Coordinates of all heavy atoms in Angstrom, one line a residue:
Chain A
K200 N 9.1 18.3 -3.3 CA 10.6 18.2 -3.1 C 11.2 19.3 -3.9 O 11.0 19.5 -5.0 CB 11.0 16.8 -3.6 CG 12.5 16.6 -3.7 CD 13.0 16.3 -2.3 CE 14.6 16.3 -2.3 NZ 15.1 16.2 -1.0
Y202 N 15.0 20.8 -5.0 CA 16.4 20.7 -5.1 C 16.9 22.1 -5.2 O 17.0 22.7 -6.3 CB 16.8 19.9 -6.4 CG 16.5 18.5 -6.4 CD1 15.6 18.0 -7.2 CD2 17.1 17.6 -5.5 CE1 15.3 16.6 -7.3 CE2 16.8 16.3 -5.5 CZ 15.9 15.8 -6.4 OH 15.6 14.5 -6.4
R236 N 12.5 7.7 -5.1 CA 13.6 7.8 -4.0 C 13.0 8.2 -2.7 O 13.5 7.8 -1.6 CB 14.7 8.7 -4.4 CG 15.6 8.1 -5.5 CD 16.7 9.1 -5.9 NE 17.7 8.4 -6.6 CZ 18.8 8.9 -7.1 NH1 18.9 10.3 -7.1 NH2 19.7 8.2 -7.7
T239 N 11.2 5.1 -1.1 CA 12.1 4.1 -0.6 C 13.0 4.6 0.5 O 13.8 3.8 1.0 CB 13.0 3.6 -1.8 OG1 13.7 4.7 -2.4 CG2 12.2 2.9 -2.8
G240 N 12.8 5.8 0.9 CA 13.5 6.3 2.1 C 14.9 6.7 1.7 O 15.7 6.9 2.6
Y241 N 15.3 6.8 0.4 CA 16.6 7.3 0.1 C 16.8 8.8 0.3 O 17.9 9.2 0.7 CB 16.9 6.9 -1.4 CG 18.2 7.3 -1.8 CD1 19.4 6.6 -1.3 CD2 18.5 8.2 -2.8 CE1 20.7 6.9 -1.7 CE2 19.8 8.5 -3.2 CZ 20.8 7.9 -2.7 OH 22.1 8.2 -3.1
M242 N 15.8 9.5 0.1 CA 15.9 11.0 0.4 C 14.5 11.4 1.0 O 13.5 10.8 0.7 CB 16.2 11.8 -0.9 CG 15.4 11.5 -2.1 SD 15.5 12.7 -3.4 CE 17.1 12.4 -4.0
P243 N 14.5 12.4 1.8 CA 13.3 12.9 2.4 C 12.6 13.9 1.5 O 13.2 14.6 0.7 CB 13.8 13.6 3.7 CG 15.1 14.1 3.3 CD 15.7 13.2 2.2
M257 N 9.2 9.2 6.5 CA 10.1 10.1 7.2 C 10.4 9.5 8.6 O 11.5 9.4 9.1 CB 9.5 11.4 7.4 CG 9.3 12.2 6.1 SD 10.9 13.1 5.8 CE 10.6 14.6 6.8
S260 N 11.5 5.2 8.7 CA 12.2 4.9 7.4 C 12.7 3.4 7.4 O 12.5 2.7 6.4 CB 13.4 5.8 7.3 OG 14.1 5.4 6.2
I261 N 13.2 3.0 8.5 CA 13.7 1.6 8.6 C 12.6 0.6 8.3 O 12.8 -0.4 7.6 CB 14.5 1.3 9.9 CG1 15.8 2.2 9.9 CG2 14.8 -0.2 10.0 CD1 16.9 1.7 9.1
R264 N 11.7 0.6 4.7 CA 12.8 0.0 3.9 C 12.7 -1.6 4.1 O 13.1 -2.3 3.1 CB 14.1 0.5 4.3 CG 14.3 1.9 3.7 CD 15.7 2.4 3.9 NE 15.8 3.3 5.0 CZ 16.9 3.6 5.7 NH1 18.1 3.0 5.3 NH2 16.9 4.5 6.6
K265 N 12.3 -2.1 5.2 CA 12.2 -3.5 5.4 C 11.2 -4.1 4.5 O 11.3 -5.3 4.1 CB 11.8 -3.8 6.8 CG 12.9 -3.8 7.9 CD 12.4 -4.2 9.2 CE 13.4 -3.9 10.2 NZ 12.8 -3.9 11.6
Y269 N 13.3 -2.4 -4.1 CA 13.5 -1.2 -5.0 C 14.6 -1.6 -6.1 O 15.6 -2.1 -5.7 CB 14.0 -0.1 -4.1 CG 14.4 1.2 -4.9 CD1 13.6 1.6 -5.9 CD2 15.4 1.9 -4.5 CE1 13.9 2.8 -6.6 CE2 15.8 3.1 -5.2 CZ 15.0 3.5 -6.2 OH 15.4 4.7 -6.8
P271 N 16.7 0.5 -8.5 CA 17.0 1.9 -9.0 C 17.2 1.9 -10.5 O 17.5 0.9 -11.1 CB 18.3 2.2 -8.3 CG 18.4 1.3 -7.2 CD 17.7 0.0 -7.6
P275 N 22.4 -0.3 -9.9 CA 23.7 -0.3 -9.3 C 24.0 -1.7 -8.7 O 23.1 -2.2 -7.9 CB 23.7 0.7 -8.2 CG 22.3 0.9 -7.9 CD 21.5 0.5 -9.1
L276 N 25.0 -2.4 -9.1 CA 25.4 -3.7 -8.6 C 26.9 -3.7 -8.3 O 27.6 -2.9 -8.9 CB 25.1 -4.8 -9.6 CG 23.6 -4.9 -10.0 CD1 23.5 -6.0 -11.1 CD2 22.7 -5.3 -8.8
Y277 N 27.4 -4.6 -7.5 CA 28.8 -4.7 -7.3 C 29.4 -5.7 -8.4 O 29.3 -6.8 -8.3 CB 29.1 -5.3 -5.9 CG 28.7 -4.4 -4.8 CD1 27.5 -4.7 -4.1 CD2 29.4 -3.3 -4.5 CE1 27.1 -3.9 -3.0 CE2 29.0 -2.5 -3.4 CZ 27.9 -2.8 -2.7 OH 27.5 -2.0 -1.7
E279 N 32.3 -6.6 -9.0 CA 33.4 -7.6 -8.7 C 32.9 -8.8 -7.9 O 33.6 -9.6 -7.5 CB 34.5 -6.9 -8.0 CG 34.3 -6.3 -6.6 CD 33.4 -5.1 -6.6 OE1 33.2 -4.5 -7.6 OE2 32.9 -4.7 -5.5
M280 N 31.5 -8.8 -7.6 CA 31.0 -9.8 -6.8 C 30.4 -10.9 -7.7 O 29.9 -10.7 -8.8 CB 29.9 -9.3 -5.9 CG 30.5 -8.7 -4.6 SD 29.1 -8.2 -3.6 CE 29.2 -9.5 -2.3
F285 N 26.4 -11.7 -4.0 CA 25.8 -10.5 -3.9 C 24.3 -10.6 -3.3 O 24.0 -9.8 -2.4 CB 25.8 -9.8 -5.3 CG 24.8 -8.6 -5.4 CD1 25.1 -7.5 -4.7 CD2 23.6 -8.7 -6.1 CE1 24.2 -6.4 -4.8 CE2 22.8 -7.6 -6.1 CZ 23.1 -6.4 -5.5
F288 N 24.3 -11.4 0.2 CA 24.7 -10.2 1.0 C 23.4 -9.3 1.2 O 23.1 -8.9 2.3 CB 25.8 -9.4 0.2 CG 26.0 -8.0 0.7 CD1 26.6 -7.8 1.9 CD2 25.7 -6.8 -0.1 CE1 26.8 -6.5 2.4 CE2 26.0 -5.6 0.4 CZ 26.5 -5.4 1.6
M289 N 22.7 -9.1 0.1 CA 21.4 -8.3 0.2 C 20.4 -9.0 1.1 O 19.7 -8.3 1.9 CB 20.8 -8.0 -1.1 CG 21.6 -7.2 -2.1 SD 22.1 -5.6 -1.4 CE 20.6 -4.7 -1.2
E291 N 21.1 -10.9 3.6 CA 21.6 -10.8 5.0 C 21.3 -9.4 5.6 O 21.0 -9.3 6.7 CB 23.1 -11.2 5.1 CG 23.3 -12.6 5.1 CD 24.8 -13.0 5.0 OE1 25.6 -12.1 4.9 OE2 25.1 -14.2 5.0
L292 N 21.5 -8.4 4.7 CA 21.2 -7.1 5.1 C 19.7 -6.9 5.5 O 19.3 -6.1 6.3 CB 21.4 -6.0 4.1 CG 22.9 -5.6 3.8 CD1 23.0 -4.6 2.8 CD2 23.6 -5.2 5.1
R293 N 18.9 -7.8 4.9 CA 17.4 -7.7 5.2 C 17.0 -8.8 6.2 O 15.9 -9.0 6.4 CB 16.7 -7.9 3.9 CG 16.9 -6.7 3.0 CD 15.9 -6.8 1.8 NE 16.1 -5.6 0.9 CZ 15.5 -4.5 1.2 NH1 14.7 -4.4 2.3 NH2 15.6 -3.5 0.4
H294 N 18.0 -9.4 6.9 CA 17.8 -10.4 7.9 C 16.8 -11.4 7.6 O 15.9 -11.8 8.3 CB 17.3 -9.6 9.2 CG 18.1 -8.5 9.6 ND1 19.3 -8.7 10.4 CD2 18.1 -7.2 9.4 CE1 19.9 -7.5 10.6 NE2 19.2 -6.6 10.0
Q334 N 17.2 -8.9 -6.6 CA 17.6 -8.2 -5.4 C 16.4 -7.5 -4.7 O 16.2 -7.5 -3.5 CB 18.8 -7.2 -5.7 CG 19.1 -6.2 -4.7 CD 18.2 -5.0 -4.9 OE1 17.6 -4.6 -3.9 NE2 18.1 -4.5 -6.1
Chain B
K66 N 24.0 -6.5 13.5 CA 24.3 -7.6 12.5 C 24.7 -7.0 11.1 O 25.5 -7.5 10.4 CB 23.0 -8.5 12.4 CG 23.3 -9.8 11.7 CD 22.1 -10.7 11.8 CE 22.1 -11.8 10.8 NZ 21.5 -11.4 9.5
N67 N 24.0 -5.8 10.8 CA 24.3 -5.2 9.5 C 25.8 -4.8 9.5 O 26.4 -4.9 8.4 CB 23.4 -4.0 9.3 CG 22.0 -4.4 9.0 OD1 21.8 -5.5 8.6 ND2 21.1 -3.5 9.2
T70 N 27.7 -7.8 8.6 CA 27.5 -8.2 7.1 C 28.3 -7.3 6.2 O 28.9 -7.8 5.3 CB 25.9 -8.0 6.8 OG1 25.2 -8.8 7.8 CG2 25.6 -8.5 5.4
I71 N 28.3 -5.9 6.5 CA 29.0 -5.0 5.6 C 30.5 -5.2 5.7 O 31.2 -5.2 4.7 CB 28.5 -3.6 5.8 CG1 27.1 -3.4 5.4 CG2 29.4 -2.6 5.2 CD1 26.5 -2.1 5.8
K73 N 32.1 -7.9 6.6 CA 32.5 -9.2 6.0 C 32.6 -9.0 4.5 O 33.6 -9.5 3.9 CB 31.4 -10.2 6.3 CG 31.9 -11.6 6.2 CD 30.9 -12.6 6.9 CE 29.6 -12.4 6.2 NZ 28.5 -13.3 6.3
R74 N 31.6 -8.3 3.8 CA 31.7 -8.2 2.4 C 32.9 -7.3 2.0 O 33.6 -7.6 1.1 CB 30.4 -7.4 1.9 CG 30.2 -7.5 0.4 CD 29.3 -6.5 -0.1 NE 29.9 -5.2 -0.3 CZ 30.7 -4.8 -1.3 NH1 30.8 -5.7 -2.3 NH2 31.3 -3.7 -1.4
N78 N 36.0 -8.3 -0.2 CA 36.1 -7.5 -1.4 C 37.6 -7.1 -1.6 O 38.1 -7.0 -2.7 CB 35.3 -6.3 -1.3 CG 35.0 -5.6 -2.6 OD1 35.0 -6.2 -3.6 ND2 34.9 -4.3 -2.5
A81 N 39.3 -9.6 -3.5 CA 38.7 -9.8 -4.9 C 39.6 -8.9 -5.9 O 39.5 -9.1 -7.1 CB 37.3 -9.3 -5.0
E147 N 31.1 3.6 -3.7 CA 29.6 3.2 -3.6 C 28.8 4.4 -4.1 O 27.7 4.3 -4.7 CB 29.3 3.0 -2.1 CG 30.0 1.9 -1.5 CD 29.2 0.6 -1.4 OE1 28.0 0.7 -1.9 OE2 29.7 -0.4 -1.0
N148 N 29.4 5.6 -3.9 CA 28.7 6.8 -4.4 C 28.7 6.9 -5.8 O 27.8 7.3 -6.5 CB 29.6 8.0 -3.8 CG 28.8 8.7 -2.8 OD1 27.6 9.0 -3.0 ND2 29.5 9.2 -1.8
T150 N 29.3 4.6 -8.2 CA 28.5 3.5 -9.0 C 27.0 3.5 -8.6 O 26.3 2.8 -9.2 CB 29.1 2.1 -8.7 OG1 29.0 1.9 -7.3 CG2 30.6 2.1 -9.1
G151 N 26.7 4.2 -7.5 CA 25.2 4.2 -7.2 C 24.8 3.1 -6.3 O 23.7 3.0 -5.9
T152 N 25.8 2.3 -5.9 CA 25.4 1.1 -5.0 C 25.0 1.6 -3.6 O 24.3 0.9 -2.9 CB 26.5 0.1 -4.9 OG1 27.8 0.8 -4.8 CG2 26.5 -0.8 -6.1
L153 N 25.4 2.9 -3.3 CA 25.0 3.5 -2.1 C 23.4 3.5 -1.9 O 22.9 3.3 -0.9 CB 25.5 4.9 -1.9 CG 25.6 5.5 -0.5 CD1 26.5 4.7 0.4 CD2 26.1 6.9 -0.6
E154 N 22.8 3.8 -3.1 CA 21.4 3.9 -3.1 C 20.8 2.4 -2.8 O 19.7 2.4 -2.1 CB 20.9 4.2 -4.6 CG 19.4 4.6 -4.6 CD 19.1 5.2 -6.0 OE1 20.0 5.5 -6.8 OE2 17.9 5.4 -6.2
L155 N 21.4 1.4 -3.2 CA 21.0 0.1 -2.9 C 21.1 -0.1 -1.3 O 20.2 -0.7 -0.7 CB 21.9 -0.9 -3.6 CG 21.4 -2.2 -4.2 CD1 20.2 -1.8 -5.1 CD2 22.5 -2.8 -5.0
L156 N 22.2 0.2 -0.8 CA 22.4 0.0 0.7 C 21.5 0.9 1.5 O 21.0 0.5 2.5 CB 23.9 0.3 1.0 CG 24.9 -0.6 0.5 CD1 26.3 -0.2 0.9 CD2 24.7 -2.0 0.9
L157 N 21.3 2.1 1.1 CA 20.5 3.1 1.9 C 19.0 2.9 1.7 O 18.3 3.5 2.4 CB 21.0 4.5 1.6 CG 22.4 4.8 2.0 CD1 22.7 6.3 1.8 CD2 22.7 4.5 3.5
T158 N 18.6 2.1 0.7 CA 17.2 1.8 0.6 C 16.9 0.4 1.2 O 15.8 -0.1 1.3 CB 16.7 1.8 -0.8 OG1 17.5 1.1 -1.6 CG2 16.7 3.2 -1.3
A159 N 18.0 -0.3 1.7 CA 17.8 -1.5 2.5 C 17.8 -1.0 3.9 O 18.2 0.1 4.2 CB 19.0 -2.4 2.2
P160 N 17.2 -1.9 4.8 CA 17.1 -1.4 6.2 C 18.5 -1.3 6.9 O 18.8 -2.0 7.8 CB 16.2 -2.4 6.9 CG 16.2 -3.6 6.0 CD 16.6 -3.1 4.6
V161 N 19.3 -0.4 6.4 CA 20.6 -0.2 7.0 C 20.8 1.2 7.5 O 20.5 2.1 6.7 CB 21.7 -0.5 5.9 CG1 23.1 -0.3 6.5 CG2 21.7 -1.9 5.4
R162 N 21.2 1.4 8.7 CA 21.3 2.8 9.2 C 22.7 3.3 8.7 O 23.7 2.5 8.5 CB 21.3 2.8 10.7 CG 19.8 2.5 11.2 CD 19.7 2.6 12.7 NE 18.3 2.6 13.1 CZ 17.6 1.5 13.2 NH1 18.2 0.3 13.1 NH2 16.3 1.5 13.6
D163 N 22.8 4.6 8.6 CA 24.0 5.2 8.1 C 25.3 4.8 8.9 O 26.3 4.5 8.4 CB 23.9 6.8 8.1 CG 22.8 7.2 7.2 OD1 22.3 6.4 6.4 OD2 22.5 8.4 7.2
K170 N 32.1 -0.5 7.0 CA 33.1 -0.3 6.0 C 34.5 -0.2 6.7 O 35.4 -0.8 6.3 CB 32.8 1.1 5.3 CG 31.7 1.0 4.3 CD 32.2 0.4 3.0 CE 31.0 0.2 2.1 NZ 31.5 -0.5 0.9
R312 N 24.2 13.4 2.3 CA 23.9 13.1 0.9 C 22.4 12.8 0.9 O 21.7 13.2 -0.1 CB 24.6 11.9 0.5 CG 25.9 12.2 -0.1 CD 26.8 11.0 -0.3 NE 28.2 11.6 -0.4 CZ 28.6 12.2 -1.5 NH1 27.8 12.3 -2.6 NH2 29.8 12.7 -1.6
R313 N 21.9 12.1 1.9 CA 20.5 11.7 1.9 C 19.6 12.9 2.1 O 18.5 12.9 1.6 CB 20.3 10.7 3.0 CG 18.9 10.2 3.1 CD 18.8 9.2 4.2 NE 19.5 7.9 3.9 CZ 19.3 6.8 4.7 NH1 18.7 6.9 5.7 NH2 20.0 5.8 4.3
W314 N 20.0 13.9 2.8 CA 19.2 15.0 3.1 C 19.4 16.2 2.3 O 18.8 17.3 2.5 CB 19.3 15.4 4.6 CG 18.9 14.3 5.5 CD1 19.6 13.2 5.8 CD2 17.5 14.0 6.0 NE1 18.8 12.3 6.5 CE2 17.6 12.8 6.6 CE3 16.4 14.7 5.8 CZ2 16.5 12.3 7.2 CZ3 15.3 14.2 6.5 CH2 15.3 13.0 7.1
R315 N 20.2 16.1 1.2 CA 20.4 17.2 0.4 C 19.3 17.5 -0.6 O 18.7 16.6 -1.0 CB 21.7 17.0 -0.5 CG 22.4 18.2 -0.7 CD 23.8 17.9 -1.3 NE 24.7 17.5 -0.3 CZ 25.9 16.8 -0.6 NH1 26.1 16.5 -1.8 NH2 26.6 16.4 0.4

Side-chain angles (χ1 to χ4, degrees):
Chain A
K200 173 77 186 173
Y202 291 114
R236 284 183 162 172
T239 52
Y241 182 65
M242 50 163 75
M257 290 276 276
S260 173
I261 292 284
R264 285 186 258 162
K265 276 182 194 164
Y269 177 42
L276 302 171
Y277 296 105
E279 68 286 348
M280 278 183 106
F285 165 71
F288 169 67
M289 292 309 290
E291 281 172 358
L292 281 184
R293 293 187 174 280
H294 307 278
Q334 164 277 125
Chain B
K66 192 169 163 276
N67 286 342
T70 306
I71 289 170
K73 202 169 58 169
R74 196 200 79 83
N78 198 31
E147 300 262 357
N148 247 321
T150 59
T152 41
L153 198 64
E154 193 170 349
L155 220 52
L156 293 180
L157 295 185
T158 53
V161 177
R162 290 182 169 85
D163 295 353
K170 289 276 174 184
R312 269 167 201 286
R313 182 178 289 187
W314 294 87
R315 211 169 283 162

